[in-house]
Amino acid sequence: MTAQKKHGFISSVWKLIISIRLTIALLIILSAVCIIGTVVPQNKPKTVYQKIYSESTYNLLDKTGCTDLYHAWWFITLMGVFSLNLTACTLHRIPRSKKMISKSNPVISEDHAKELLCSKKFTFDKTSSEKERLFSETLEKHLAKPVITKTGDQISFFSEKGRLSPLAFYLTHAGILIIIIGVLIGAFGFKGYIQLFEGQKKDKVMLWDSNAEEVIPFELRCDKFEITFYENNMPKDYKSKLTVLENGKEVLTKTIEVNDPLFYKGIRFYQSSYGTGNNSSSAVLLSIHPIAEKGEVQYRASVGETFTLKHTKDTVKVERLLSDFGIDDKGHYFSKSDQPNNPAVQLTLTPENGKPYQVWVFAKFPDFHKRENQVYDFHFVNIFPTYYTGLQVAKDPGVLTVWAGCLLMTIGIYLAFFTSHRRIWLTLTVKENSVQALAAGTCTKNRETFSEAFNDLFDKLKTTGKLK
Amino acid sequence: MLSSSLLGITTFIYLLCMAFYFSYLFFRNEKFSKIISAAVILGFLFNTAGLAFRWYESYKIGYGHIPLSNMYESLVSLSWTTVLLYFIIEWRYKIKALGALIFPIVSISMAYASLSPDIQNEIQPLVPALQSNWLTYHVMTCFIAYSAFAVSFGSSIVYLIKARKPSDAKAAKEEILPSLKILDEIIYKTIAIGFLLLGIGIITGAVWANYAWGTYWSWDPKETWSLITWFIYAAFIHARLTRGWRGKKAAIISIVGFLSVLFTFLGVNYLLAGLHSYA
């Protein structure tokens, strides 16, 4: 490759990078790609895709990154090119903007005036300081207080507004770049979740995008979880009372709810879900009485608790609680789900004089535990499951940068559309028997509206000139 | 309930307005103009009262929330902002013909809201995720943006109809449609308003999402479609400002943009699942 050719190649790449055509093309491509992302489910387990697509389609989607499109290398590359294009266009425009916002000459020549959007002339007999004051006043009312320059036989009025309006372009585009920077900074944070039973504390967060755990520099404890319902059984509110512990010491307690998170040391905890489960603090209500006797006695006990039966020295220990009883093929007991479909509790009965034995008591099958020579009758009356609260945990150091970018961009768009650099000149040239007036004006936006207003202004100035 | 009756009457008046605008176009009679304006104002007042009463009734039931929480309320509020914005433009530019395109859109959305079996019109309580002041800021900005895009869409259709036949001098004199220049200006201005407000709507949504869910952007279909819409209009603005795309080309992009708005507002809810499943 010769030097010249190389130079030609670089300059054509540069030309492409600074072209608005590329911007428009990228906007259209990004839109099309995003559409794919809304139609193909994102980041779902393989089984979800297999229900919708054939194996070969799934393989194609998976290989091209369409199942996790917004993190695919080519999507990130597209965003990179977009940022590059944005930066290049912004920098490329600096010289032009410098010229646009440079101070205008308050005196205008006739040749220059001709090139402007509006320019009109009129003549009148004589000028006076009173008339000049009126001209100035009219301009001030119309646009802004004019700068008055007197040179020889000429008096110039120059009035302008919104000189910095062309800079709105930079605010908008810088805002978008700052948002992108904020998103990148956010990569240094993490997103995950914690499940806490009432009374439980943790200092580890399960991360969403990997199965790893993130250790946070303090412990979080759920003191209480509450849920309230509307009359029609729709949930009204979930609330969790959370306590932050540092080195075992309580430092902060807050009751959070949806739309009101807890913030501590750069990490936010959001109420996002809840559930019930059976853990060590779940309790059951049992009714136990000797088979020979009538009259029930009820006992409430937590899992792991041992209690003594009334009028005896026999003890019962609650070994474990399964909300949905099941036995696997190896004979192990397990809970098929968190739903109380078939709650069962395993008890160890230790008679005062005799060998301890274990029974399974089922809430829905009260007679199941019965066997010969049994002394006691057991009933599983109720289960008091423990609520756990599901918290989203997020640490995003880029969030403030993103908001700053959003603010700049919004102000930029507003100024770009709804302000304009407007300039109006009025030059009076005193001749022997008359005064030649030249009015000229220009603007950077809304030319139609400006021209109409300019014509109105011109008529007013003309009337002022004709005053006696 | 009173609000439902008021909104039912609103639907009827808007349908009447549509008929008036059609006959205005057909008979080209300026005498209609005052009757139409009176009908539009009346319809708008009923619409306002309907929304206000619904708001009041929600407090009486004990739920107490702004009527922006489900599809029924969204369609009624959207009609309200569209009529308001359209009326400002009609008054500002002294043109009536656009109404013949705006009122079918408004009437259809009102009628669909009241009559469709898929849409519940009872007042429902707010699920915890929606209990926030951001609901008002986010939804209102988006809705004004949607309305602005609807007006720009209407103007674009009129533009294309008018641009099809070159008008001779005599026809131009009797011409009841606004001039191409004015239509082009309305298309651009309403898109400018919509673009700014959709931007603010996306941002307020992000702020709210960050506050409620811990992430300002999750590529949820509604979010993504609002961004797609914003990109399409961004392309429109860049093409216009730097490449001088005006007139027909601009009108066509504006129509494409509005189709994207429709998909963002309705299509996403019915065809794609996501976080915005409530509205």
Side-chain angles (χ1 to χ4, degrees), chain A residues 180-352:
Chain A
I180 294 172
I181 292 169
V183 172
L184 294 177
I185 296 175
F188 293 99
F190 63 83
K191 299 235 159 78
Y193 67 98
I194 289 189
Q195 274 185 6
L196 286 174
F197 279 103
E198 286 181 331
Q200 200 181 13
K201 60 184 178 184
K202 277 185 187 169
D203 63 352
K204 286 191 188 86
V205 178
M206 287 296 296
L207 297 184
W208 282 125
D209 44 6
S210 61
N211 282 323
E213 282 186 327
E214 174 88 19
V215 178
I216 52 174
F218 51 87
E219 282 182 308
L220 190 72
R221 187 180 69 207
C222 173
D223 298 326
K224 195 166 174 46
F225 175 79
E226 256 183 310
I227 178 165
T228 50
F229 294 93
Y230 290 107
E231 276 168 28
N232 67 357
N233 289 331
M234 270 173 71
K236 185 176 184 180
D237 232 336
Y238 322 129
K239 284 182 183 171
S240 302
K241 191 179 168 197
L242 301 176
T243 299
V244 173
L245 300 142
E246 269 190 296
N247 305 318
K249 263 194 195 160
E250 295 184 5
V251 287
L252 178 69
T253 297
K254 184 182 176 182
T255 302
I256 67 161
E257 56 187 303
V258 184
N259 278 313
D260 187 13
L262 166 76
F263 183 69
Y264 189 69
K265 287 205 166 163
I267 305 174
R268 275 174 201 271
F269 298 89
Y270 302 85
Q271 182 70 61
S272 80
S273 63
Y274 70 97
T276 53
N278 307 309
N279 75 333
S280 57
S281 54
S282 294
V284 289
L285 186 65
L286 301 166
S287 152
I288 306 172
H289 64 94
I291 286 178
E293 290 170 30
K294 294 268 172 195
E296 298 187 351
V297 184
Q298 290 193 333
Y299 303 88
R300 184 187 165 139
S302 302
V303 175
E305 203 178 316
T306 306
F307 55 94
T308 312
L309 297 174
K310 243 181 184 173
H311 311 306
T312 69
K313 283 184 178 162
D314 300 347
T315 59
V316 173
K317 186 180 180 200
V318 181
E319 294 291 347
R320 55 172 160 172
L321 173 69
L322 301 177
S323 56
D324 192 357
F325 182 84
I327 306 177
D328 68 13
D329 41 6
K330 283 175 190 145
H332 297 299
Y333 303 113
F334 71 105
S335 187
K336 288 190 259 187
S337 71
D338 289 335
Q339 299 304 312
N341 292 332
N342 184 12
V345 63
Q346 190 182 34
L347 306 173
T348 303
L349 190 109
T350 314
E352 194 185 354

Side-chain angles (χ1 to χ4, degrees), chain A residues 1-7:
Chain A
M1 205 183 270
T2 65
Q4 204 180 3
K5 251 191 184 169
K6 202 172 162 189
H7 185 258

Side-chain angles (χ1 to χ4, degrees), chain A residues 37-55:
Chain A
T38 63
V39 175
V40 178
Q42 296 292 302
N43 292 312
K44 291 279 164 6
K46 198 176 170 183
T47 49
V48 172
Y49 296 103
Q50 282 167 333
K51 265 185 208 157
I52 318 173
Y53 305 110
S54 69
E55 189 68 26

Side-chain angles (χ1 to χ4, degrees), chain B residues 52-157:
Chain B
F53 268 97
R54 196 175 165 94
W55 201 344
Y56 169 72
E57 283 160 5
S58 88
Y59 271 95
K60 245 169 73 183
I61 300 173
Y63 299 153
H65 61 78
I66 188 168
L68 290 174
S69 71
N70 59 18
M71 191 42 97
Y72 177 80
E73 293 175 351
S74 300
L75 285 167
V76 172
S77 303
L78 203 49
S79 305
W80 186 82
T81 48
T82 310
V83 171
L84 178 63
L85 195 71
Y86 165 70
F87 204 65
I88 292 171
I89 286 168
E90 183 184 299
W91 169 77
R92 165 85 174 70
Y93 289 93
K94 313 263 177 287
I95 45 160
K96 278 225 135 50
L98 259 185
L101 269 147
I102 297 301
F103 275 88
I105 301 177
V106 172
S107 313
I108 289 169
S109 72
M110 286 293 290
Y112 178 63
S114 326
L115 303 175
S116 167
D118 306 337
I119 293 179
Q120 287 193 314
N121 68 357
E122 297 108 65
I123 298 177
Q124 288 153 326
L126 283 183
V127 296
L130 294 185
Q131 295 164 12
S132 166
N133 285 334
W134 288 104
L135 172 70
T136 313
Y137 310 139
H138 171 59
V139 179
M140 271 324 271
T141 43
C142 289
F143 279 10
I144 301 171
Y146 291 172
S147 302
F149 292 138
V151 174
S152 131
F153 166 76
S155 316
S156 305
I157 300 271

